[in-house]
């Protein structure tokens, strides 16, 4: 009888420890965000801004990954873009002038800027379908994308953990290129 009680206690403790272990998706997402942080892409999970098409293509719905690159000695206009047919298109100001709920720029108008209009995304095929929008402000450029969809095997069957760093480096290079392109046109 004592043996069965000991086995039950051991199974209970092991079961509790296994429940604490993060899921595979959480582990892959953590690896993605830690790599992005190391590359100075400043990843955050934020409430989807009202001008970005989030979950189920509804504007401002759900949570979305925000990866931002801060650029020293650069002054950029406050503007935003959405992805249409694999290209950047200036976002409409029809919804509101808020950048996002936690922004200090609520009273600042978003400027119409067409320097990236019809510019192709040119991101890795494993990232491109999940990119939703781009926000440019002051000395930073921020990309909104569904980073969790990138690490889910159901939505990204070509996911490979070894490709994370190279994919993020391409994203960073493009963010820098787009920021310089916008600075030249300003």
């Amino acid at each position: 009888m004592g043996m069965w009680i000991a086995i039950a206690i051991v199974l209970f403790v092991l079961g509790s420890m296994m429940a604490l272990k993060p899921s595979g998706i959480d582990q892959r997402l953590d690896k993605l965000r830690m790599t992005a942080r190391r590359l100075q892409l400043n990843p955050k999970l934020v409430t989807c801004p009202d001008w970005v098409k989030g979950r189920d293509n509804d504007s401002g719905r759900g949570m979305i990954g925000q990866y931002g690159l801060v650029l020293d000695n650069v002054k950029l206009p406050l503007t935003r873009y959405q992805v249409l047919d694999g290209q950047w298109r200036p976002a409409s100001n029809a919804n509101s002038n808020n950048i996002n709920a936690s922004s200090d720029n609520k009273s600042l108008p978003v400027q119409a800027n067409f320097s990236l209009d019809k510019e192709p995304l040119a991101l890795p095929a494993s990232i491109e379908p999940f990119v939703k929008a781009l926000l440019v402000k002051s000395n930073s450029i921020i990309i909104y994308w569904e980073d969790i969809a990138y690490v889910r095997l159901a939505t990204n069957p070509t996911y490979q953990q070894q490709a994370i760093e190279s994919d993020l480096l391409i994203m960073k290079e493009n963010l820098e290129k787009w920021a310089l392109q916008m600075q030249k046109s300003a």
Side-chain angles (χ1 to χ4, degrees):
M1 181 72 160
M3 176 85 141
W4 291 109
I5 293 173
I7 291 173
I9 290 172
V10 168
L11 288 176
F12 177 76
V13 170
L14 285 175
S16 297
M17 288 174 46
M18 294 302 282
L20 294 175
K21 185 180 176 191
S23 70
I25 291 173
D26 289 338
Q27 290 176 1
R28 291 189 297 269
L29 190 58
D30 182 55
K31 169 95 170 131
L32 174 70
R33 290 181 180 160
M34 292 305 287
T35 303
R37 188 168 285 119
R38 188 172 42 81
L39 296 174
Q40 299 175 335
L41 283 173
N42 306 318
K44 292 180 187 176
L45 182 64
V46 297
T47 304
C48 189
D50 61 355
W51 59 275
V52 175
K53 291 187 178 184
R55 189 178 342 156
D56 301 328
N57 280 332
D58 289 338
S59 294
R61 187 161 180 236
M63 303 294 282
I64 195 163
Q66 169 186 300
Y67 287 51
L69 183 61
V70 177
L71 303 163
D72 296 328
N73 303 321
V74 173
K75 185 69 175 164
L76 299 167
L78 178 62
T79 189
R80 54 196 184 191
Y81 291 88
Q82 289 184 330
V83 177
L84 291 174
D85 299 325
Q87 299 176 335
W88 291 120
R89 298 305 311 262
S92 168
N93 293 342
N95 291 343
S96 81
N97 278 337
N98 294 13
I99 299 305
N100 61 34
S102 64
S103 177
D104 296 332
N105 300 320
K106 290 180 183 176
S107 61
L108 296 175
V110 177
Q111 300 172 8
N113 186 307
F114 297 97
S115 57
L116 295 181
D117 190 22
K118 297 186 180 177
E119 179 81 20
L121 290 182
L123 293 170
S126 56
I127 289 179
E128 199 167 298
F130 310 117
V131 174
K132 299 294 184 178
L134 186 72
L135 171 66
V136 182
K137 61 181 184 177
S138 186
N139 67 336
S140 63
I141 185 165
I142 299 164
I143 194 165
Y144 292 96
W145 70 301
E146 295 178 14
D147 57 352
I148 194 160
Y150 173 81
V151 298
R152 278 194 182 129
L153 297 177
T155 53
N156 185 8
T158 62
Y159 170 79
Q160 293 180 3
Q161 190 167 350
Q162 308 89 303
I164 289 175
E165 187 166 353
S166 61
D167 286 351
L168 290 176
L169 280 171
I170 293 170
M171 178 189 285
K172 182 178 180 179
E173 289 169 7
N174 279 320
L175 288 172
E176 290 170 344
K177 179 185 82 168
W178 296 327
L180 291 176
Q181 188 174 338
M182 291 195 69
Q183 185 182 26
K184 287 178 185 175
S185 69

